């Protein structure tokens, strides 16, 4: 990986530093709110937690990719001694790293909440893990879409669809008997269904992450 | 930074001619003595903010006039030629004559008419002396 | 020894839905400034982006500093400075950050020269990019390119938004680049006065095709406006190389692209004036002539 790519990845982290810190704090704070005890607080906290992660992902997708193209900062970056393929790779790795820390902290906080809080059933653990992984896959899909799509409309469409997918995911997975029936139990149950869903998510995640390296990076027309 | 010469783009005359004239003036006045090295083409181009090709042309034309001498690989130098002042004056004369001829043509005068007129003027001047 | 051309485009074609750039060939030799002039929509920006490898040609070859721009893009751009009026610096950072960023990437960065330019261009490195005016932004982008002392500078409307003083300073910096005869500049601009002044060669582009390309002095020598007053009852002789003809009664203005004394001789006493043309006039007349010839 040449030095310019590494510098661009560092630049991605630098440029989004406030967003990263803000999202991390927001995610952890939401968990703390949810931990305060009553049902209302839990719901608010959970909602804020989900919104934080989704919104953060969307903003990275928009400011990180689509806006850069629109605002012509892309011209500056492309004037550097890199190929268009280098640009895509630096973007993909850079944005993924930006997302990773807040996501990891927020997910860990949520898992900790479930396991440590006496009133919250540990049975929620598998569902929560599936949800966290899904949101990571979601983010990677948004970035993948932004790196391939040329029109703003298409990028917006990707963002809207993936956001709707989170709610859809939550309802659908919770409705699966093998998962839904054990969700509110005292122990986390990892059965075949959970593993299958997890495997599907990981495949989706890997595909969304790798696609830009295979397609967008090969694109010959970048502007 | 050598900023002795001055080029105007609003002047009707092309840039290379302006450069040539200003160099000739300095040589005629003695400011640029015979044998003195001229600034290199690139240096003068950068100083005047004018293209290299324009300076090249000025130097080439000055050389064909015998005003400067270019030694390959060494640079350009003011030529060691006398009567340069006279040459300058003759050039001025040509300019005036060209202008007069232009006006004459506009009036529909022939070359003979113009020559006759010139002789009359010359005679008047001679009488005044 | 034959030095490699700094830019070489051969038979380049790029097709878009409503526009095609066709059979484009362009060269820049080391030590040269090439002025690139064309109306809006002619394909100047497309050509420049092809030169920078930001888009790939459908046909033809593009080489920068001897490297094929597509297969060796990163390598080629190492010694190229690109400045475009459309370019924006990263909005969340300061000019100083950009200077450190660029300096860390390019070994050719000259910190002393950069400091000198900061003063000359009247910029403040700590200032956030978003707070810069248009003119200051352009100067910042120019600084980042110039301080690297690249061998080839590709400039797309580099003087847009600059006040006359800034333009004067910027042009001085460009010409300073040419003190080193191993460096070259591609200068694309609507500012035909500046292009006329500092370019060695000029290339005209219109509607996706190169219309004309020649030494600047050659253009200025060949093109003339000939003002005539026709004698009563006289008709215009059929002269070669006349590309424009405007008539108002007896008064005719001919535009020629290959001025010669023979033309004057043929017109005789009817000639009232012969005027040189500046680059802008030549450019407009040239484009009009070629559009007519193509039946547009």
């Amino acid at each position: 990986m040449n030095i310019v790519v590494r510098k661009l990845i560092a630049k991605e982290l630098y440029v989004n530093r406030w967003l990263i810190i803000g999202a991390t704090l927001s995610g952890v704070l939401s968990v703390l709110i949810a931990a305060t005890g009553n049902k209302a607080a839990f719901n608010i906290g959970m909602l804020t937690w989900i919104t934080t992660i989704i919104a953060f992902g969307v903003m990275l997708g928009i400011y990180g990719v689509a806006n850069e193209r629109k605002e012509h900062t892309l011209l500056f970056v492309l004037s550097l001694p890199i190929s268009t393929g280098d640009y895509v790779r630096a973007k993909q790795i850079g944005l993924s790293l930006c997302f990773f820390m807040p996501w990891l902290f927020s997910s860990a906080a949520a898992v900790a909440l479930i396991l440590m809080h006496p009133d919250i059933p540990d049975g929620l653990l598998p569902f929560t893990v599936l949800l966290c992984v899904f949101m990571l896959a979601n983010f990677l899909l948004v970035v993948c879409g932004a790196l391939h799509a040329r029109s703003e409309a298409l990028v917006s469409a990707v963002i809207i669809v993936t956001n709707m997918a989170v709610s859809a995911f939550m309802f659908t997975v919770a409705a699966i008997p093998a998962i839904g029936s054990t969700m509110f139990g005292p122990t986390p149950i990892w059965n075949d269904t959970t593993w299958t869903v997890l495997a599907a998510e990981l495949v989706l995640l890997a595909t969304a992450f790798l696609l830009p390296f295979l397609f967008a990076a090969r694109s010959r027309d970048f502007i | 930074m050598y900023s002795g010469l001055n080029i105007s783009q609003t002047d009707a005359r092309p840039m290379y001619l302006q450069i040539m004239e200003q160099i000739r003036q300095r040589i005629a006045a003695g400011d640029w003595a015979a044998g003195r090295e001229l600034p290199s083409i690139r240096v003068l181009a950068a100083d005047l903010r004018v293209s290299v090709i324009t300076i090249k042309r000025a130097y080439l034309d000055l050389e064909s006039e015998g005003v400067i001498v270019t030694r390959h690989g060494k640079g350009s130098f003011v030529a060691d030629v006398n009567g340069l002042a006279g040459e300058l004056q003759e050039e001025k004369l040509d300019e005036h004559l060209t202008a007069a001829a232009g006006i004459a043509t506009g009036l529909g005068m022939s070359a003979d008419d113009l020559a006759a007129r010139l002789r009359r003027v010359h005679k008047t001047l001679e009488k005044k002396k | 020894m034959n030095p490699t051309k700094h830019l070489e485009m051969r038979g380049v074609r790029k097709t878009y839905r409503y526009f095609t750039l066709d059979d484009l060939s362009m060269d820049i030799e080391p030590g040269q400034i090439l002025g690139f002039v064309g109306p809006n929509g002619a394909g100047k920006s497309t050509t420049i982006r092809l030169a920078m490898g930001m888009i790939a040609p459908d046909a033809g070859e593009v080489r920068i500093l001897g490297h094929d721009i597509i297969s060796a893009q990163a390598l080629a751009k190492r010694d190229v400075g690109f400045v475009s009026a459309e370019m924006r610096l990263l909005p969340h950072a300061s000019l100083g950050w950009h200077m450190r960023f660029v300096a860390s990437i390019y070994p050719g960065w000259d910190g002393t020269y950069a400091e000198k330019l900061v003063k000359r261009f009247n910029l403040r490195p700590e200032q956030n990019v978003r707070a810069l005016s248009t003119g200051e932004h352009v100067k910042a982008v120019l600084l980042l390119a110039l301080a690297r002392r690249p061998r080839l500078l590709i400039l797309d409307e580099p003087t847009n938004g600059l006040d006359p003083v800034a333009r004067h300073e910027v042009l001085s910096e460009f010409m300073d680049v040419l003190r080193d005869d191993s460096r070259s500049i591609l200068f694309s601009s609507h500012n035909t006065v500046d292009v006329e002044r500092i370019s060695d060669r000029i290339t005209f582009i219109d509607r996706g095709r190169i219309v004309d390309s020649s030494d600047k002095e050659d253009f200025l020598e060949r093109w003339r406006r000939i003002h005539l007053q026709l004698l009563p009852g006289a008709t215009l002789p059929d002269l070669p190389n006349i590309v424009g003809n405007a008539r108002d009664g007896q008064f005719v203005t001919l535009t020629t692209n290959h001025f010669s004394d023979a033309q004057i001789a043929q017109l005789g006493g009817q000639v009232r004036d012969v005027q040189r043309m500046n680059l802008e006039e030549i450019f407009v007349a040239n484009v009009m002539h070629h559009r007519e010839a193509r039946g547009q």
Side-chain angles (χ1 to χ4, degrees):
Chain A
M1 201 172 26
N2 74 56
I3 180 174
V4 189
V5 171
R6 271 184 281 140
K7 293 237 155 245
L8 283 177
I9 294 173
K11 157 248 181 200
E12 211 66 59
L13 290 163
Y14 175 78
V15 157
N16 293 312
R17 59 200 185 285
W18 297 120
L19 212 55
I20 294 172
I21 292 173
T24 310
L25 285 174
S26 174
V28 171
L29 228 67
S30 327
V31 169
L32 290 175
I33 292 174
T36 51
N38 64 62
K39 195 109 199 291
F42 180 76
N43 286 336
I44 292 173
M46 190 185 83
L47 211 60
T48 318
W49 182 84
I50 293 177
T51 309
T52 297
I53 299 184
I54 293 178
F56 177 52
V58 165
M59 282 196 267
L60 276 183
I62 292 182
Y63 292 122
V65 186
N67 249 23
E68 189 166 84
R69 177 171 279 142
K70 193 175 73 164
E71 293 295 323
H72 305 295
T73 47
L74 180 61
L75 279 173
F76 170 69
V77 178
L78 284 181
S79 73
L80 301 171
I82 53 167
S83 64
T84 45
D86 287 333
Y87 170 77
V88 170
R89 283 185 283 272
K91 263 292 163 207
Q92 178 67 306
I93 297 174
L95 288 178
S96 301
L97 282 176
C98 286
F99 186 78
F100 196 70
M101 183 178 85
W103 173 81
L104 194 63
F105 274 87
S106 302
S107 303
V111 166
L113 177 71
I114 292 171
L115 290 177
M116 296 199 297
H117 201 286
D119 294 334
I120 298 177
D122 288 0
L124 273 177
L125 187 62
F127 178 77
T128 309
V129 169
L130 290 178
L131 181 61
C132 290
V133 176
F134 183 74
M135 293 213 277
L136 180 60
N138 204 22
F139 167 73
L140 289 171
L141 277 168
V142 169
V143 172
C144 182
L147 284 172
H148 289 97
R150 284 306 155 80
S151 71
E152 238 177 289
L154 206 53
V155 177
S156 304
V158 171
I159 290 174
I160 292 172
V161 166
T162 47
N163 282 342
M164 293 191 331
V166 175
S167 320
F169 174 86
M170 286 171 63
F171 286 121
T172 316
V173 169
I176 299 175
I179 297 177
S181 59
T182 60
M183 252 170 73
F184 297 101
T187 39
I189 309 276
W190 295 91
N191 52 38
D192 284 343
T193 320
T194 33
W195 292 122
T196 313
V197 174
L198 187 63
E201 287 176 346
L202 290 173
V203 167
L204 186 65
L205 194 154
T207 312
F209 183 73
L210 291 172
L211 228 57
F213 291 98
L214 299 170
F215 287 100
R218 303 256 169 93
S219 164
R220 307 233 301 160
D221 286 356
F222 226 71
I223 290 192
Chain B
M1 175 146 139
Y2 186 87
S3 53
L5 301 186
N6 233 299
I7 306 305
S8 161
Q9 276 186 281
T10 51
D11 191 319
R13 286 166 309 157
M15 292 187 289
Y16 81 96
L17 282 181
Q18 294 178 47
I19 295 169
M20 286 170 72
E21 171 161 325
Q22 292 195 25
I23 291 179
R24 275 196 231 105
Q25 284 172 351
R26 279 157 179 76
I27 294 176
D31 278 4
W32 288 21
R36 170 186 164 139
E37 185 173 7
L38 267 65
S40 85
I41 289 176
R42 283 200 172 265
V43 166
L44 190 58
D47 287 342
L48 296 179
R49 289 172 15 259
V50 167
S51 66
V52 165
I53 204 174
T54 303
I55 309 292
K56 261 191 195 152
R57 181 176 186 179
Y59 277 27
L60 269 166
D61 282 8
L62 284 172
E63 192 179 12
S64 66
E65 285 176 10
V67 174
I68 67 173
V69 173
T70 303
R71 283 188 215 120
H72 187 63
K74 292 223 179 84
S76 300
F77 301 82
V78 178
D80 212 349
V81 172
N82 288 322
L84 192 58
E87 231 181 271
L88 211 66
Q89 290 291 78
E90 278 183 53
E91 241 185 62
K92 243 177 141 171
L93 176 65
D94 279 335
E95 271 173 44
H96 284 292
L97 287 176
T98 311
I103 299 174
T105 312
L107 290 169
M109 264 192 222
S110 71
D112 287 340
D113 290 337
L114 180 60
R117 243 186 150 83
L118 181 60
R119 276 192 285 271
R120 240 179 299 149
V121 169
H122 197 263
K123 232 193 242 174
T124 316
L125 269 176
E126 290 286 311
K127 276 204 200 129
K128 282 199 187 148
K129 274 196 191 158
Chain C
M1 189 182 80
N2 235 343
T4 328
K5 290 193 213 228
H6 278 192
L7 171 65
E8 202 172 344
M9 296 175 84
R10 288 268 154 275
V12 169
R13 187 176 73 238
K14 183 72 187 172
T15 311
Y16 290 106
R17 208 159 112 200
Y18 296 117
F19 171 76
T20 302
L21 201 67
D22 204 5
D23 199 25
L24 194 95
S25 293
M26 224 158 78
D27 293 300
I28 300 181
E29 303 280 344
Q32 233 182 29
I33 298 188
L34 176 68
F36 191 35
V37 180
N40 284 335
K44 288 194 310 295
S45 287
T46 308
T47 305
I48 288 180
R49 284 166 192 191
L50 282 163
M52 286 293 291
M54 294 173 183
I55 48 181
D58 295 330
E61 210 189 308
V62 178
R63 303 186 78 85
I64 286 228
L65 298 171
H67 302 285
D68 175 71
I69 193 64
I70 297 301
S71 56
Q73 208 181 108
L75 203 58
K77 286 194 275 188
R78 240 184 238 170
D79 221 352
V80 178
F82 177 60
V83 174
S84 156
E86 290 180 311
M87 196 190 286
R88 292 279 168 275
L89 296 175
L90 306 176
H92 305 283
S94 67
L95 171 60
W97 181 88
H98 282 85
M99 287 168 70
R100 288 186 291 277
F101 182 68
V102 173
S104 69
I105 293 177
Y106 296 96
W109 177 266
D110 184 343
T112 323
Y113 183 40
E115 286 306 314
K116 210 172 80 171
L117 286 173
V118 166
K119 288 200 185 64
R120 184 170 295 169
F121 288 169
N122 208 21
L123 296 168
R124 286 157 300 281
E126 354 48 87
Q127 202 172 11
N128 191 291
V129 161
R130 258 173 311 189
L132 297 175
S133 70
T134 317
E136 286 172 328
H137 191 274
V138 169
K139 285 192 282 187
V141 173
L142 278 165
L143 186 157
L144 292 173
L146 288 169
R148 289 167 36 208
R149 300 200 184 278
R151 259 194 299 159
L152 171 64
L153 266 170
I154 295 185
L155 309 173
D156 190 358
E157 305 289 348
T159 53
N160 268 15
L162 293 182
D163 63 80
V165 175
R167 248 181 57 226
H168 177 107
E169 288 169 338
V170 158
L171 281 177
S172 299
E173 295 306 324
F174 292 164
M175 285 312 301
D176 266 357
V177 166
L178 269 292
R179 287 183 199 268
D180 179 351
D181 66 1
S182 70
R183 298 172 68 186
S184 61
I185 300 181
L186 171 65
F187 182 24
S188 176
S189 179
H190 283 306
N191 190 324
T192 48
V193 173
D194 289 342
V195 172
E196 178 178 342
R197 189 178 177 120
I198 71 170
S199 301
D200 295 311
R201 281 185 65 83
I202 303 201
T203 295
F204 291 136
I205 186 172
D206 182 39
R207 298 193 177 164
R209 287 181 156 274
I210 300 291
V211 155
D212 209 346
S213 187
S214 191
D215 283 355
K216 179 209 40 204
E217 291 292 335
D218 180 55
F219 273 124
L220 295 177
E221 277 315 294
R222 281 195 287 121
W223 284 76
R224 293 284 188 278
R225 294 240 203 258
I226 305 173
H227 299 286
L228 311 170
Q229 184 178 2
L230 289 178
L231 297 171
T235 47
L236 264 177
D238 195 14
L239 291 169
N241 297 318
I242 300 295
V243 300
N245 184 329
R247 187 161 181 167
D248 173 26
Q250 321 171 289
F251 296 96
V252 181
T253 299
L254 297 176
T255 308
T256 176
N257 63 355
H258 271 97
F259 176 65
S260 70
D261 290 321
Q263 289 170 323
I264 300 301
Q266 265 191 281
L267 292 165
Q270 302 175 101
V271 174
R272 301 195 64 101
D273 196 10
V274 177
Q275 276 179 338
R276 302 178 79 97
M277 294 165 70
N278 67 23
L279 187 67
E280 180 154 324
E281 296 169 322
I282 294 173
F283 166 51
V284 172
N286 210 344
V287 162
M288 293 304 171
H289 169 61
H290 278 266
R291 284 185 187 176
E292 267 169 47
R294 270 186 272 162
Q296 288 159 347

